[in-house]
Amino acid sequence: MNLSGTVYRPPYEAQSFLLQVTHGCSHNKCTFCSMYPDVRFSVCPMEEIREDLEEAARICPHVKRVFLEHGDAFVLSAERLLEIAAEIHKYLPEVKTIAMYASIQNIAHKTDEELRMLKEAGIGGLDIGVESGLDEALAYMNKGHTAKEAEQQLLRLQAAGITYSFNIILGSAGADLWKENAETTAALLNKVQPSLLFTGTLHAEKGCQLHEDMKSGAFKECTIGQLLDEQELLLNLLDLNDTVYFGSHPSNLVPMQAYLPKHKKEMIRYVKETRRQLKGHLDEFPVRGSEGSILNR
Ligand code: SF4
């Protein structure tokens, strides 16, 4: 297999076959990200992709789902993605879904017709770091999209029938704007009605801009109490019809997997219960371990 560098994938892609089609991330500028600091973005040659698929056909011929690596494989042109999808179906005929990380800009660069063709080719389950519905937070994080652009592109994706995970980062607007972050993010989610909502909580590894800004005080991190307040407000404001809530990332104070709207009340109760349990720590900043896990809880 030609997988190179650190390989990232969403937790729910654990059973998927990972196929490298790009190296690094074409954007590579998010202030909180330390995934591909030294990787120059490039596109894998088709020959290399075919070699991997030949190998996959020998070792896991019955695989049902493929996840394309690396950071934003949906940046590839529709033409290239359709070529890759055709090869996947040739070598792995039982594959139903071809998933990958995608950005809002990646969607914007494709026409409605291309999106429909990609859906027909089995592309779905895109994992999209929308992160927030608040423009100030998006600008600080250097995401390269506004909340309005996210709304427009996600609605286009939905119209084409392509499923996706809407990823948010709790605490991403910092201590002064946690309330606005919850309000605007809930409003965006309510408009686009994603089938999957993935939550993580802001944390920074050494080497990224956010880490520097937290150290210098240029970015004011939320306290444990503010993170819980933000999450509770967000949940209260959500008006989702049928969404899987995937919140088990180690960075989260309140790890939860649930369905919305079915479990909304229990989820809010769980946040309140966590606040009671952490009574003595609410004014503290989270102390982080590996993968952003919170140690002072
Ligand atoms: S788009 Fe994703 S991989 Fe690329 S810099 Fe931002 S967070 Fe990192």
Side-chain angles (χ1 to χ4, degrees), residues 195-258:
S195 54
L196 181 60
L197 166 58
F198 183 97
T199 66
T201 304
L202 195 73
H203 61 282
E205 309 282 336
K206 224 173 166 180
C208 69
Q209 183 60 45
L210 175 63
H211 190 264
E212 296 303 307
D213 290 350
M214 277 177 168
K215 259 187 5 197
S216 70
F219 182 90
K220 270 172 73 184
E221 193 183 358
C222 286
T223 61
I224 286 178
Q226 287 167 329
L227 287 173
L228 291 168
D229 291 346
E230 178 176 330
Q231 186 168 11
E232 185 177 343
L233 180 59
L234 175 86
L235 288 171
N236 264 310
L237 294 172
L238 284 181
D239 187 11
L240 298 175
N241 301 327
D242 187 14
T243 299
V244 176
Y245 179 100
F246 193 102
S248 307
H249 192 270
S251 61
N252 290 330
L253 273 164
V254 193
M256 288 189 274
Q257 285 191 49

Short mmCIF file of all heavy atoms in Angstrom, two decimals, residues 195-258:
data_model
loop_
_atom_site.label_atom_id
_atom_site.label_comp_id
_atom_site.label_asym_id
_atom_site.label_seq_id
_atom_site.Cartn_x
_atom_site.Cartn_y
_atom_site.Cartn_z
N SER A 195 -27.33 15.01 8.30
CA SER A 195 -27.71 13.70 8.84
C SER A 195 -26.75 13.28 9.96
O SER A 195 -27.09 12.45 10.80
CB SER A 195 -27.72 12.65 7.73
OG SER A 195 -26.48 12.66 7.06
N LEU A 196 -25.56 13.86 9.98
CA LEU A 196 -24.58 13.53 11.02
C LEU A 196 -23.93 14.81 11.54
O LEU A 196 -23.50 15.66 10.76
CB LEU A 196 -23.50 12.61 10.43
CG LEU A 196 -22.39 12.12 11.34
CD1 LEU A 196 -22.91 11.33 12.53
CD2 LEU A 196 -21.42 11.23 10.57
N LEU A 197 -23.89 14.94 12.86
CA LEU A 197 -23.23 16.10 13.50
C LEU A 197 -22.11 15.56 14.37
O LEU A 197 -22.33 14.76 15.28
CB LEU A 197 -24.25 16.86 14.35
CG LEU A 197 -23.73 17.88 15.36
CD1 LEU A 197 -22.90 18.96 14.68
CD2 LEU A 197 -24.90 18.54 16.11
N PHE A 198 -20.89 15.97 14.03
CA PHE A 198 -19.70 15.49 14.75
C PHE A 198 -19.17 16.66 15.58
O PHE A 198 -18.92 17.73 15.04
CB PHE A 198 -18.64 15.03 13.75
CG PHE A 198 -17.40 14.45 14.36
CD1 PHE A 198 -17.25 13.08 14.48
CD2 PHE A 198 -16.38 15.28 14.83
CE1 PHE A 198 -16.10 12.54 15.06
CE2 PHE A 198 -15.23 14.75 15.40
CZ PHE A 198 -15.09 13.36 15.51
N THR A 199 -19.00 16.45 16.89
CA THR A 199 -18.48 17.55 17.71
C THR A 199 -17.12 17.21 18.30
O THR A 199 -16.88 16.09 18.75
CB THR A 199 -19.43 17.89 18.89
OG1 THR A 199 -19.48 16.79 19.78
CG2 THR A 199 -20.82 18.22 18.42
N GLY A 200 -16.26 18.20 18.29
CA GLY A 200 -14.99 18.15 19.01
C GLY A 200 -14.91 19.44 19.81
O GLY A 200 -15.77 20.32 19.68
N THR A 201 -13.90 19.57 20.66
CA THR A 201 -13.73 20.80 21.44
C THR A 201 -12.35 21.37 21.15
O THR A 201 -11.38 20.61 20.99
CB THR A 201 -13.89 20.50 22.95
OG1 THR A 201 -15.17 19.90 23.14
CG2 THR A 201 -13.81 21.76 23.79
N LEU A 202 -12.29 22.68 21.07
CA LEU A 202 -11.05 23.34 20.66
C LEU A 202 -9.85 22.94 21.53
O LEU A 202 -9.93 22.99 22.76
CB LEU A 202 -11.23 24.86 20.73
CG LEU A 202 -10.14 25.66 19.99
CD1 LEU A 202 -10.32 25.53 18.49
CD2 LEU A 202 -10.16 27.12 20.41
N HIS A 203 -8.79 22.56 20.89
CA HIS A 203 -7.52 22.30 21.58
C HIS A 203 -6.42 22.49 20.55
O HIS A 203 -6.69 22.45 19.35
CB HIS A 203 -7.48 20.89 22.18
CG HIS A 203 -7.60 19.80 21.17
ND1 HIS A 203 -8.81 19.44 20.62
CD2 HIS A 203 -6.68 19.00 20.58
CE1 HIS A 203 -8.63 18.47 19.76
NE2 HIS A 203 -7.34 18.18 19.70
N ALA A 204 -5.23 22.72 21.03
CA ALA A 204 -4.16 23.04 20.08
C ALA A 204 -2.90 22.24 20.41
O ALA A 204 -2.48 22.19 21.56
CB ALA A 204 -3.84 24.53 20.14
N GLU A 205 -2.36 21.61 19.39
CA GLU A 205 -1.07 20.92 19.55
C GLU A 205 0.04 21.94 19.29
O GLU A 205 -0.17 22.90 18.54
CB GLU A 205 -0.92 19.80 18.51
CG GLU A 205 -2.09 18.84 18.41
CD GLU A 205 -2.12 17.81 19.52
OE1 GLU A 205 -1.04 17.53 20.07
OE2 GLU A 205 -3.22 17.32 19.84
N LYS A 206 1.19 21.67 19.88
CA LYS A 206 2.34 22.53 19.65
C LYS A 206 2.62 22.65 18.15
O LYS A 206 2.51 21.67 17.43
CB LYS A 206 3.57 21.89 20.32
CG LYS A 206 4.41 22.85 21.07
CD LYS A 206 5.47 22.12 21.82
CE LYS A 206 6.48 23.15 22.26
NZ LYS A 206 7.56 22.56 22.99
N GLY A 207 2.96 23.84 17.71
CA GLY A 207 3.33 23.99 16.29
C GLY A 207 2.28 24.71 15.48
O GLY A 207 2.57 25.19 14.40
N CYS A 208 1.04 24.80 15.99
CA CYS A 208 0.03 25.52 15.20
C CYS A 208 -0.15 26.93 15.77
O CYS A 208 0.22 27.21 16.92
CB CYS A 208 -1.29 24.77 15.15
SG CYS A 208 -2.15 24.70 16.71
N GLN A 209 -0.74 27.79 14.96
CA GLN A 209 -0.91 29.20 15.34
C GLN A 209 -1.74 29.35 16.63
O GLN A 209 -1.44 30.17 17.50
CB GLN A 209 -1.59 29.94 14.19
CG GLN A 209 -1.77 31.44 14.40
CD GLN A 209 -0.43 32.15 14.60
OE1 GLN A 209 0.51 31.91 13.86
NE2 GLN A 209 -0.36 33.02 15.60
N LEU A 210 -2.78 28.55 16.75
CA LEU A 210 -3.65 28.64 17.92
C LEU A 210 -2.87 28.38 19.21
O LEU A 210 -3.09 29.04 20.23
CB LEU A 210 -4.82 27.65 17.79
CG LEU A 210 -5.75 27.56 19.01
CD1 LEU A 210 -6.47 28.87 19.26
CD2 LEU A 210 -6.77 26.43 18.82
N HIS A 211 -1.96 27.43 19.16
CA HIS A 211 -1.15 27.11 20.34
C HIS A 211 -0.37 28.34 20.79
O HIS A 211 -0.34 28.68 21.98
CB HIS A 211 -0.20 25.95 19.98
CG HIS A 211 0.51 25.39 21.17
ND1 HIS A 211 1.78 25.78 21.53
CD2 HIS A 211 0.13 24.49 22.10
CE1 HIS A 211 2.15 25.14 22.62
NE2 HIS A 211 1.17 24.34 22.99
N GLU A 212 0.22 29.04 19.81
CA GLU A 212 0.96 30.27 20.11
C GLU A 212 0.02 31.33 20.70
O GLU A 212 0.34 32.00 21.69
CB GLU A 212 1.61 30.84 18.84
CG GLU A 212 2.66 29.96 18.21
CD GLU A 212 3.77 29.64 19.20
OE1 GLU A 212 4.32 30.59 19.77
OE2 GLU A 212 4.05 28.44 19.42
N ASP A 213 -1.14 31.47 20.07
CA ASP A 213 -2.09 32.51 20.48
C ASP A 213 -2.67 32.23 21.87
O ASP A 213 -2.98 33.16 22.62
CB ASP A 213 -3.23 32.63 19.45
CG ASP A 213 -2.74 33.25 18.15
OD1 ASP A 213 -1.59 33.73 18.11
OD2 ASP A 213 -3.50 33.23 17.17
N MET A 214 -2.82 30.96 22.21
CA MET A 214 -3.31 30.62 23.55
C MET A 214 -2.25 30.97 24.60
O MET A 214 -2.54 31.49 25.66
CB MET A 214 -3.65 29.13 23.65
CG MET A 214 -5.02 28.78 23.11
SD MET A 214 -5.21 26.99 23.19
CE MET A 214 -6.96 26.84 22.87
N LYS A 215 -0.99 30.67 24.23
CA LYS A 215 0.11 30.94 25.17
C LYS A 215 0.27 32.43 25.41
O LYS A 215 0.47 32.89 26.53
CB LYS A 215 1.42 30.37 24.59
CG LYS A 215 1.79 29.08 25.23
CD LYS A 215 3.14 28.49 24.88
CE LYS A 215 4.06 29.29 24.02
NZ LYS A 215 5.14 28.49 23.44
N SER A 216 0.16 33.21 24.33
CA SER A 216 0.39 34.66 24.46
C SER A 216 -0.84 35.39 24.99
O SER A 216 -0.77 36.55 25.35
CB SER A 216 0.75 35.25 23.09
OG SER A 216 -0.39 35.24 22.25
N GLY A 217 -1.98 34.71 24.99
CA GLY A 217 -3.22 35.35 25.43
C GLY A 217 -3.96 36.05 24.30
O GLY A 217 -5.01 36.65 24.52
N ALA A 218 -3.42 35.96 23.07
CA ALA A 218 -4.11 36.58 21.93
C ALA A 218 -5.45 35.89 21.67
O ALA A 218 -6.37 36.49 21.14
CB ALA A 218 -3.22 36.51 20.69
N PHE A 219 -5.51 34.60 22.01
CA PHE A 219 -6.79 33.89 21.92
C PHE A 219 -7.21 33.53 23.34
O PHE A 219 -6.46 32.88 24.07
CB PHE A 219 -6.66 32.61 21.08
CG PHE A 219 -7.98 31.89 20.92
CD1 PHE A 219 -8.83 32.17 19.87
CD2 PHE A 219 -8.40 30.94 21.86
CE1 PHE A 219 -10.05 31.53 19.74
CE2 PHE A 219 -9.63 30.31 21.75
CZ PHE A 219 -10.45 30.60 20.68
N LYS A 220 -8.41 33.97 23.73
CA LYS A 220 -8.90 33.70 25.09
C LYS A 220 -9.74 32.43 25.10
O LYS A 220 -10.88 32.42 24.62
CB LYS A 220 -9.74 34.88 25.58
CG LYS A 220 -8.90 35.93 26.30
CD LYS A 220 -9.69 37.16 26.61
CE LYS A 220 -10.68 36.94 27.74
NZ LYS A 220 -11.51 38.16 27.94
N GLU A 221 -9.12 31.38 25.62
CA GLU A 221 -9.78 30.07 25.65
C GLU A 221 -11.00 30.07 26.59
O GLU A 221 -11.00 30.80 27.60
CB GLU A 221 -8.76 29.05 26.17
CG GLU A 221 -9.15 27.63 25.98
CD GLU A 221 -8.12 26.66 26.58
OE1 GLU A 221 -7.08 27.12 27.10
OE2 GLU A 221 -8.36 25.46 26.53
N CYS A 222 -11.99 29.25 26.29
CA CYS A 222 -13.13 29.08 27.20
C CYS A 222 -12.71 28.30 28.44
O CYS A 222 -11.89 27.37 28.35
CB CYS A 222 -14.24 28.28 26.53
SG CYS A 222 -15.14 29.19 25.28
N THR A 223 -13.30 28.63 29.56
CA THR A 223 -13.12 27.81 30.77
C THR A 223 -14.00 26.56 30.63
O THR A 223 -14.87 26.49 29.74
CB THR A 223 -13.58 28.57 32.01
OG1 THR A 223 -14.97 28.88 31.85
CG2 THR A 223 -12.77 29.83 32.24
N ILE A 224 -13.80 25.63 31.54
CA ILE A 224 -14.64 24.42 31.54
C ILE A 224 -16.12 24.81 31.67
O ILE A 224 -16.98 24.29 30.97
CB ILE A 224 -14.18 23.47 32.68
CG1 ILE A 224 -12.86 22.82 32.26
CG2 ILE A 224 -15.24 22.43 33.02
CD1 ILE A 224 -12.24 21.90 33.29
N GLY A 225 -16.41 25.77 32.54
CA GLY A 225 -17.80 26.22 32.73
C GLY A 225 -18.38 26.81 31.45
O GLY A 225 -19.53 26.54 31.09
N GLN A 226 -17.58 27.61 30.76
CA GLN A 226 -18.07 28.23 29.51
C GLN A 226 -18.30 27.18 28.42
O GLN A 226 -19.26 27.28 27.65
CB GLN A 226 -17.08 29.29 29.03
CG GLN A 226 -17.11 30.55 29.89
CD GLN A 226 -15.93 31.46 29.63
OE1 GLN A 226 -14.83 31.01 29.27
NE2 GLN A 226 -16.13 32.75 29.82
N LEU A 227 -17.42 26.18 28.37
CA LEU A 227 -17.61 25.11 27.37
C LEU A 227 -18.93 24.39 27.61
O LEU A 227 -19.67 24.06 26.68
CB LEU A 227 -16.45 24.11 27.41
CG LEU A 227 -15.11 24.60 26.84
CD1 LEU A 227 -14.02 23.58 27.11
CD2 LEU A 227 -15.22 24.88 25.35
N LEU A 228 -19.22 24.15 28.89
CA LEU A 228 -20.48 23.46 29.21
C LEU A 228 -21.68 24.36 28.90
O LEU A 228 -22.69 23.90 28.38
CB LEU A 228 -20.49 23.03 30.69
CG LEU A 228 -19.49 21.92 31.02
CD1 LEU A 228 -19.35 21.76 32.53
CD2 LEU A 228 -19.92 20.60 30.39
N ASP A 229 -21.54 25.66 29.21
CA ASP A 229 -22.63 26.60 28.90
C ASP A 229 -22.89 26.65 27.40
O ASP A 229 -24.02 26.66 26.94
CB ASP A 229 -22.27 28.02 29.39
CG ASP A 229 -22.26 28.09 30.92
OD1 ASP A 229 -22.78 27.16 31.56
OD2 ASP A 229 -21.71 29.08 31.45
N GLU A 230 -21.79 26.69 26.63
CA GLU A 230 -21.93 26.75 25.17
C GLU A 230 -22.63 25.50 24.64
O GLU A 230 -23.55 25.58 23.82
CB GLU A 230 -20.55 26.91 24.51
CG GLU A 230 -20.63 26.94 22.99
CD GLU A 230 -19.30 27.19 22.30
OE1 GLU A 230 -18.44 27.89 22.88
OE2 GLU A 230 -19.13 26.71 21.18
N GLN A 231 -22.21 24.35 25.14
CA GLN A 231 -22.81 23.10 24.65
C GLN A 231 -24.29 23.02 25.03
O GLN A 231 -25.13 22.60 24.23
CB GLN A 231 -22.05 21.90 25.22
CG GLN A 231 -22.54 20.60 24.61
CD GLN A 231 -21.64 19.43 24.92
OE1 GLN A 231 -20.74 19.53 25.76
NE2 GLN A 231 -21.88 18.32 24.26
N GLU A 232 -24.60 23.44 26.25
CA GLU A 232 -26.01 23.37 26.68
C GLU A 232 -26.88 24.31 25.84
O GLU A 232 -27.97 23.94 25.39
CB GLU A 232 -26.12 23.73 28.17
CG GLU A 232 -27.54 23.56 28.66
CD GLU A 232 -27.71 23.84 30.14
OE1 GLU A 232 -26.70 23.86 30.88
OE2 GLU A 232 -28.87 24.06 30.54
N LEU A 233 -26.37 25.52 25.59
CA LEU A 233 -27.14 26.47 24.79
C LEU A 233 -27.33 25.95 23.36
O LEU A 233 -28.43 26.01 22.80
CB LEU A 233 -26.42 27.84 24.78
CG LEU A 233 -27.10 28.95 23.99
CD1 LEU A 233 -28.50 29.23 24.51
CD2 LEU A 233 -26.26 30.23 24.03
N LEU A 234 -26.25 25.42 22.80
CA LEU A 234 -26.34 24.86 21.44
C LEU A 234 -27.42 23.78 21.38
O LEU A 234 -28.29 23.80 20.50
CB LEU A 234 -24.97 24.28 21.03
CG LEU A 234 -24.96 23.57 19.68
CD1 LEU A 234 -24.73 24.56 18.55
CD2 LEU A 234 -23.91 22.49 19.61
N LEU A 235 -27.36 22.85 22.32
CA LEU A 235 -28.34 21.75 22.31
C LEU A 235 -29.75 22.28 22.45
O LEU A 235 -30.68 21.83 21.79
CB LEU A 235 -28.03 20.75 23.44
CG LEU A 235 -26.79 19.88 23.22
CD1 LEU A 235 -26.46 19.10 24.48
CD2 LEU A 235 -26.99 18.92 22.05
N ASN A 236 -29.92 23.26 23.33
CA ASN A 236 -31.25 23.85 23.53
C ASN A 236 -31.79 24.47 22.25
O ASN A 236 -32.99 24.42 21.98
CB ASN A 236 -31.18 24.93 24.61
CG ASN A 236 -31.60 24.36 25.95
OD1 ASN A 236 -32.65 23.73 26.06
ND2 ASN A 236 -30.79 24.58 26.97
N LEU A 237 -30.90 25.09 21.46
CA LEU A 237 -31.33 25.81 20.26
C LEU A 237 -31.49 24.91 19.04
O LEU A 237 -32.05 25.33 18.03
CB LEU A 237 -30.33 26.93 19.94
CG LEU A 237 -30.24 28.06 20.97
CD1 LEU A 237 -29.09 28.99 20.65
CD2 LEU A 237 -31.56 28.82 21.03
N LEU A 238 -30.98 23.69 19.12
CA LEU A 238 -31.04 22.82 17.94
C LEU A 238 -32.47 22.38 17.66
O LEU A 238 -33.21 22.00 18.57
CB LEU A 238 -30.16 21.58 18.14
CG LEU A 238 -28.66 21.79 18.01
CD1 LEU A 238 -27.92 20.48 18.22
CD2 LEU A 238 -28.29 22.39 16.65
N ASP A 239 -32.82 22.46 16.38
CA ASP A 239 -34.14 22.03 15.96
C ASP A 239 -33.94 21.13 14.73
O ASP A 239 -34.21 21.51 13.60
CB ASP A 239 -34.98 23.28 15.62
CG ASP A 239 -36.42 22.93 15.34
OD1 ASP A 239 -36.80 21.78 15.61
OD2 ASP A 239 -37.15 23.80 14.83
N LEU A 240 -33.37 19.95 15.01
CA LEU A 240 -33.00 19.04 13.92
C LEU A 240 -34.05 17.95 13.79
O LEU A 240 -34.59 17.47 14.78
CB LEU A 240 -31.62 18.43 14.21
CG LEU A 240 -30.47 19.46 14.30
CD1 LEU A 240 -29.16 18.79 14.71
CD2 LEU A 240 -30.29 20.17 12.95
N ASN A 241 -34.30 17.55 12.57
CA ASN A 241 -35.38 16.58 12.31
C ASN A 241 -34.94 15.14 12.47
O ASN A 241 -35.69 14.29 12.93
CB ASN A 241 -35.93 16.75 10.89
CG ASN A 241 -36.47 18.16 10.70
OD1 ASN A 241 -36.99 18.74 11.64
ND2 ASN A 241 -36.34 18.69 9.49
N ASP A 242 -33.68 14.87 12.05
CA ASP A 242 -33.24 13.47 12.06
C ASP A 242 -31.71 13.44 11.90
O ASP A 242 -31.19 13.29 10.80
CB ASP A 242 -33.91 12.72 10.88
CG ASP A 242 -33.63 11.24 10.93
OD1 ASP A 242 -33.15 10.75 11.96
OD2 ASP A 242 -33.90 10.57 9.91
N THR A 243 -31.02 13.61 12.99
CA THR A 243 -29.55 13.75 12.94
C THR A 243 -28.89 12.84 13.97
O THR A 243 -29.33 12.77 15.12
CB THR A 243 -29.15 15.22 13.22
OG1 THR A 243 -29.73 16.06 12.22
CG2 THR A 243 -27.65 15.41 13.22
N VAL A 244 -27.85 12.16 13.52
CA VAL A 244 -27.03 11.39 14.46
C VAL A 244 -26.03 12.35 15.08
O VAL A 244 -25.36 13.10 14.35
CB VAL A 244 -26.27 10.25 13.72
CG1 VAL A 244 -25.34 9.52 14.69
CG2 VAL A 244 -27.25 9.29 13.06
N TYR A 245 -25.94 12.35 16.41
CA TYR A 245 -24.99 13.22 17.10
C TYR A 245 -23.82 12.34 17.52
O TYR A 245 -23.98 11.41 18.31
CB TYR A 245 -25.68 13.83 18.33
CG TYR A 245 -24.80 14.75 19.16
CD1 TYR A 245 -24.90 16.14 19.04
CD2 TYR A 245 -23.90 14.24 20.10
CE1 TYR A 245 -24.12 16.98 19.81
CE2 TYR A 245 -23.11 15.08 20.87
CZ TYR A 245 -23.23 16.45 20.72
OH TYR A 245 -22.45 17.28 21.50
N PHE A 246 -22.64 12.65 16.98
CA PHE A 246 -21.46 11.85 17.30
C PHE A 246 -20.50 12.75 18.07
O PHE A 246 -19.81 13.59 17.50
CB PHE A 246 -20.82 11.35 15.99
CG PHE A 246 -19.80 10.27 16.19
CD1 PHE A 246 -20.11 8.95 15.95
CD2 PHE A 246 -18.52 10.57 16.65
CE1 PHE A 246 -19.17 7.94 16.15
CE2 PHE A 246 -17.58 9.57 16.85
CZ PHE A 246 -17.92 8.25 16.59
N GLY A 247 -20.48 12.59 19.39
CA GLY A 247 -19.69 13.51 20.21
C GLY A 247 -18.71 12.78 21.11
O GLY A 247 -18.47 13.21 22.24
N SER A 248 -18.15 11.68 20.60
CA SER A 248 -17.27 10.87 21.47
C SER A 248 -15.81 11.25 21.36
O SER A 248 -14.95 10.54 21.89
CB SER A 248 -17.41 9.39 21.11
OG SER A 248 -18.74 9.03 21.13
N HIS A 249 -15.50 12.35 20.68
CA HIS A 249 -14.09 12.72 20.55
C HIS A 249 -13.49 12.96 21.94
O HIS A 249 -14.15 13.55 22.81
CB HIS A 249 -13.96 13.98 19.68
CG HIS A 249 -12.56 14.25 19.26
ND1 HIS A 249 -11.71 15.03 20.01
CD2 HIS A 249 -11.85 13.82 18.19
CE1 HIS A 249 -10.52 15.06 19.41
NE2 HIS A 249 -10.59 14.35 18.30
N PRO A 250 -12.24 12.52 22.17
CA PRO A 250 -11.65 12.66 23.52
C PRO A 250 -11.57 14.10 24.01
O PRO A 250 -11.46 14.35 25.21
CB PRO A 250 -10.25 12.05 23.38
CG PRO A 250 -10.08 11.66 21.96
CD PRO A 250 -11.38 11.78 21.25
N SER A 251 -11.62 15.07 23.10
CA SER A 251 -11.51 16.47 23.52
C SER A 251 -12.80 16.98 24.19
O SER A 251 -12.80 18.06 24.78
CB SER A 251 -11.20 17.36 22.31
OG SER A 251 -12.25 17.28 21.36
N ASN A 252 -13.88 16.22 24.08
CA ASN A 252 -15.16 16.71 24.59
C ASN A 252 -15.32 16.48 26.09
O ASN A 252 -14.95 15.42 26.60
CB ASN A 252 -16.31 16.01 23.85
CG ASN A 252 -16.41 16.48 22.41
OD1 ASN A 252 -16.06 17.61 22.10
ND2 ASN A 252 -16.87 15.61 21.54
N LEU A 253 -15.91 17.47 26.76
CA LEU A 253 -16.18 17.32 28.20
C LEU A 253 -17.31 16.35 28.45
O LEU A 253 -17.36 15.68 29.48
CB LEU A 253 -16.60 18.69 28.77
CG LEU A 253 -15.48 19.60 29.23
CD1 LEU A 253 -16.01 21.01 29.39
CD2 LEU A 253 -14.88 19.11 30.55
N VAL A 254 -18.28 16.33 27.52
CA VAL A 254 -19.46 15.48 27.71
C VAL A 254 -19.54 14.52 26.51
O VAL A 254 -20.18 14.84 25.51
CB VAL A 254 -20.75 16.34 27.79
CG1 VAL A 254 -21.91 15.51 28.30
CG2 VAL A 254 -20.53 17.56 28.67
N PRO A 255 -18.86 13.38 26.61
CA PRO A 255 -18.88 12.47 25.46
C PRO A 255 -20.26 11.85 25.28
O PRO A 255 -20.84 11.33 26.25
CB PRO A 255 -17.84 11.40 25.82
CG PRO A 255 -17.58 11.55 27.28
CD PRO A 255 -18.09 12.86 27.74
N MET A 256 -20.81 11.94 24.08
CA MET A 256 -22.18 11.43 23.85
C MET A 256 -22.32 10.96 22.42
O MET A 256 -21.77 11.57 21.51
CB MET A 256 -23.21 12.56 24.02
CG MET A 256 -23.45 13.03 25.40
SD MET A 256 -24.87 14.16 25.45
CE MET A 256 -24.11 15.73 25.07
N GLN A 257 -23.09 9.88 22.26
CA GLN A 257 -23.56 9.50 20.93
C GLN A 257 -25.06 9.36 21.07
O GLN A 257 -25.53 8.64 21.97
CB GLN A 257 -22.95 8.18 20.50
CG GLN A 257 -21.49 8.32 20.10
CD GLN A 257 -20.96 7.09 19.42
OE1 GLN A 257 -21.57 6.56 18.52
NE2 GLN A 257 -19.81 6.61 19.87
N ALA A 258 -25.80 10.02 20.21
CA ALA A 258 -27.24 10.05 20.41
C ALA A 258 -27.93 10.42 19.10
O ALA A 258 -27.27 10.65 18.09
CB ALA A 258 -27.58 11.08 21.48
#
